[in-house]
Amino acid sequence: METYKERMITVMKIGLQMYTLRNVMNTVAEMEQAVARVKEIGYDCVQLAGSLEQMEQVGLAAKKVGLEVVSFMASLDVYMQDEEETFRVARLLGATDLGISSAHTTLEETKVLIERANAFAKRAKAAGFTLSYHNHSNELMHMDGRKTGLEILLENFWEEICFTPDTYWIQHGGADVRQWIAKLGSRTKILHLKDMKRLPDKSVTFAEIGEGNLWWESILPLAASMGIEYYVVEQDSCDKDPFEYLSKKMKALEE
């Protein structure tokens, strides 16, 4: 029987959220150098972040070196400011998924998000794109009795809206990563990979995969069994050379 590691190598695609490298991509030349390094390290694809102009520039550089542009990540406001331009840039780069996130913390804000996202997702679907929601930990707060914001989104988003669960932020919110991977099921196209470690001051922070406390030996097999195709590495903040992080993350996933 094929192991999850064999499946990851032969079927699944490991990508990078380019937000990780935002501080070393201030010029077009730096963008080109960055994506070339990402390709050299061994990543298959990228997810873009920022303004449409930024995503177009980085995406063109990524395509040039043979990296698939799998998705965008921005706010609904960015996409809705000029929807035709959003769809044009996505088509140009070959991206079929438009990712969003939100800082909502109340039930009222959640209801507004659901209404806006559902309406935009239907227009995006008509144009050939899916809309995906990326969680942080604010969605794990209880907003309606015992229901969390993420549960409310799952129940009330249009059924064609997908999810991009983030391993770090689910754990940060006090939830079980494996439970949410299973709960979101086939609505997950992309899984964000981050590890978490505890510091002496009792806080927690981001860690290289395998250097924190998330149980990857259980998380990854479950994700593989759910048929998730894209595994996107993201490091929100780096305290050393970000490319060193990326190399270690790739090695940890392949071992």
Side-chain angles (χ1 to χ4, degrees):
M1 179 180 293
E2 184 181 49
T3 67
Y4 84 89
K5 290 183 179 179
E6 290 170 337
R7 179 174 169 79
M8 287 193 72
I9 293 171
T10 61
V11 178
M12 300 174 184
K13 297 181 180 179
I14 300 176
L16 175 69
Q17 169 48 262
M18 294 302 292
Y19 179 76
T20 305
L21 300 177
R22 63 196 180 282
N23 293 326
V24 294
M25 295 194 304
N26 298 306
T27 66
V28 173
E30 288 178 343
M31 293 175 192
E32 293 175 344
Q33 292 169 3
V35 295
R37 290 284 299 279
V38 171
K39 178 67 174 179
E40 180 182 354
I41 290 169
Y43 287 85
D44 303 304
C45 57
V46 294
Q47 183 182 50
L48 307 178
S51 68
L52 288 177
E53 180 181 5
Q54 291 169 329
M55 290 191 287
E56 182 172 2
Q57 291 176 323
V58 177
L60 288 173
K63 286 189 64 177
K64 189 175 180 179
V65 298
L67 288 167
E68 178 186 358
V69 177
V70 63
S71 175
F72 289 179
M73 185 59 65
S75 68
L76 265 176
D77 289 336
V78 167
Y79 299 143
M80 294 175 66
Q81 184 174 1
D82 189 338
E83 293 184 9
E84 289 307 313
E85 178 65 4
T86 296
F87 301 150
R88 181 195 71 79
V89 175
R91 289 192 189 98
L92 174 67
L93 301 179
T96 59
D97 181 76
L98 304 173
I100 63 169
S101 62
S102 172
H104 68 280
T105 58
T106 68
L107 180 59
E108 291 70 25
E109 291 172 337
T110 303
K111 288 179 178 178
V112 171
L113 169 64
I114 290 168
E115 182 178 0
R116 296 183 72 218
N118 285 347
F120 175 75
K122 291 174 183 178
R123 295 193 295 273
K125 181 70 173 181
F129 304 96
T130 55
L131 181 69
S132 291
Y133 187 82
H134 169 269
N135 70 279
H136 292 93
S137 55
N138 53 292
E139 295 89 352
L140 279 306
M141 293 189 295
H142 291 94
M143 298 181 183
D144 185 11
R146 291 298 300 165
K147 289 184 179 180
T148 65
L150 194 52
E151 288 173 312
I152 295 168
L153 295 181
L154 180 58
E155 292 175 2
N156 293 279
F157 268 160
W158 182 43
E159 62 184 11
E160 295 288 337
I161 293 180
C162 297
F163 287 85
T164 301
D166 185 293
T167 57
Y168 175 94
W169 288 115
I170 290 175
Q171 186 79 16
H172 187 271
D176 188 304
V177 176
R178 293 163 299 162
Q179 178 194 29
W180 271 103
I181 290 174
K183 199 167 187 175
L184 295 173
S186 61
R187 291 180 72 170
T188 297
K189 296 178 65 175
I190 301 167
L191 178 65
H192 267 202
L193 303 181
K194 297 189 186 78
D195 212 336
M196 174 188 284
K197 64 183 178 181
R198 185 188 182 279
L199 301 178
D201 65 3
K202 299 183 180 180
S203 66
V204 295
T205 191
F206 311 105
E208 300 164 18
I209 293 174
E211 297 298 320
N213 296 313
L214 292 186
W215 191 16
W216 298 107
E217 292 83 356
S218 182
I219 292 171
L220 293 176
L222 175 61
S225 73
M226 301 300 294
I228 298 173
E229 182 179 2
Y230 293 99
Y231 291 70
V232 173
V233 169
E234 181 179 32
Q235 191 74 25
D236 293 45
S237 61
C238 301
D239 56 10
K240 53 187 172 183
D241 181 359
F243 293 103
E244 184 178 344
Y245 271 116
L246 302 186
S247 296
K248 287 186 176 181
K249 285 178 181 285
M250 176 62 75
K251 183 178 179 181
L253 288 171
E254 291 181 340
E255 288 181 344

